[in-house]
Amino acid sequence: MMAAKKVSKKIVVLGDPAVGKTSLIRRFVINAFDDKYLTTIGAKIVKKEVQLRSGGAKPDIDVTLMIWDVAGQKTLGNVKQAYYRGSEGAMIVCDITRRETLLSTIDWIKTLMQVTGEIPVVLLANKCDLMDKALFGEKEMSEVSKKLNASFMMTSAKDGRNVGEAFQNISESMLEGMS
Ligand code: G3D
Ligand code: MG
């Protein structure tokens, strides 16, 4: 049996205030790495390991995700560049009950990639437990994600659906091609 490779990757979680970024991270992460806000850069960082199983032909990969969450109500304009720097993947979150949060995803990605260049992105349509209040759905997500060359998933931090899958998805995208 081959030993698993170990890698560490920084990902950022972005999106308009109150879309559910912190709730998604909290749902996913059990182990708080640094619970204090790093006030100089205005971020909170937690880590969690994801295992990528190769199916035997190649070694498995243990990915330690360093997940960066903006502290407080950060809007696009006041997220500092230090937050984006060194990110190798991103989750961009919107809220299915607020259409403007979907349009914002485009700006979040553009601003991010001005710092990082092209990196893997997964778009998350969060609060899918609130289907009766939904103002957009998979069709719109599919259109936007195609435009942005990203994948998308429908999540709920409340009931947990697709949350683990979303972090698995971004991990796989970042490590595509690595053996
Ligand atoms: P943010 O980190 O993007 O700013 P938060 O967002 O994680 O702080 O969440 C903002 C609000 O949305 C919170 O409600 C939170 O409970 C709620 N929320 C987050 N994810 C979901 C979800 O999947 N479903 C539902 N129904 N609510 C969600 P409060 O009331 O505490 O402000
Ligand atoms: Mg938050």
Side-chain angles (χ1 to χ4, degrees):
M1 203 175 124
M2 286 173 278
K5 290 198 176 186
K6 291 188 188 302
V7 295
S8 174
K9 298 277 177 190
K10 171 181 173 177
I11 66 169
V12 285
V13 182
L14 301 171
D16 286 352
V19 293
K21 300 179 294 298
T22 301
S23 303
L24 286 163
I25 296 168
R26 217 175 267 151
R27 165 67 67 180
F28 179 61
V29 173
I30 302 151
N31 199 15
F33 160 68
D34 184 350
D35 226 336
K36 290 189 238 26
Y37 283 97
L38 303 179
T39 47
T40 49
I41 50 172
K44 180 181 170 183
I45 306 161
V46 290
K47 72 173 177 182
K48 165 115 172 162
E49 199 170 272
V50 169
Q51 270 120 28
L52 300 182
R53 299 272 167 257
S54 71
K58 296 174 181 177
D60 294 336
I61 305 176
D62 294 339
V63 190
T64 300
L65 291 179
M66 310 297 298
I67 307 167
W68 287 50
D69 183 18
V70 278
Q73 293 288 291
K74 293 285 180 183
T75 53
L76 190 60
N78 61 18
V79 172
K80 296 195 174 66
Q81 293 221 336
Y83 180 83
Y84 300 118
R85 211 169 288 133
S87 304
E88 292 177 81
M91 285 179 157
I92 317 285
V93 186
C94 58
D95 170 352
I96 64 161
T97 70
R98 289 181 292 147
R99 182 173 280 275
E100 73 278 9
T101 66
L102 174 62
L103 300 176
S104 294
T105 59
I106 297 165
D107 298 322
W108 282 106
I109 290 181
K110 278 188 187 149
T111 307
L112 167 71
M113 288 189 183
Q114 279 166 11
V115 176
T116 60
E118 189 93 6
I119 58 173
V121 166
V122 56
L123 282 183
L124 303 182
N126 192 41
K127 308 198 185 179
C128 282
D129 55 288
L130 300 175
M131 264 317 174
D132 52 331
K133 291 189 188 136
L135 295 181
F136 61 90
E138 296 206 30
K139 185 170 158 286
E140 291 85 351
M141 287 300 288
S142 166
E143 284 165 8
V144 172
S145 66
K146 225 172 267 165
K147 219 179 287 175
L148 295 171
N149 196 25
S151 53
F152 77 92
M153 299 181 84
M154 313 297 284
T155 60
S156 167
K158 187 169 182 182
D159 68 21
R161 91 184 71 162
N162 277 341
V163 176
E165 289 82 349
F167 285 92
Q168 194 81 24
N169 176 315
I170 191 67
S171 303
E172 282 166 8
S173 301
M174 287 189 293
L175 289 161
E176 228 157 61
M178 182 178 159
S179 59

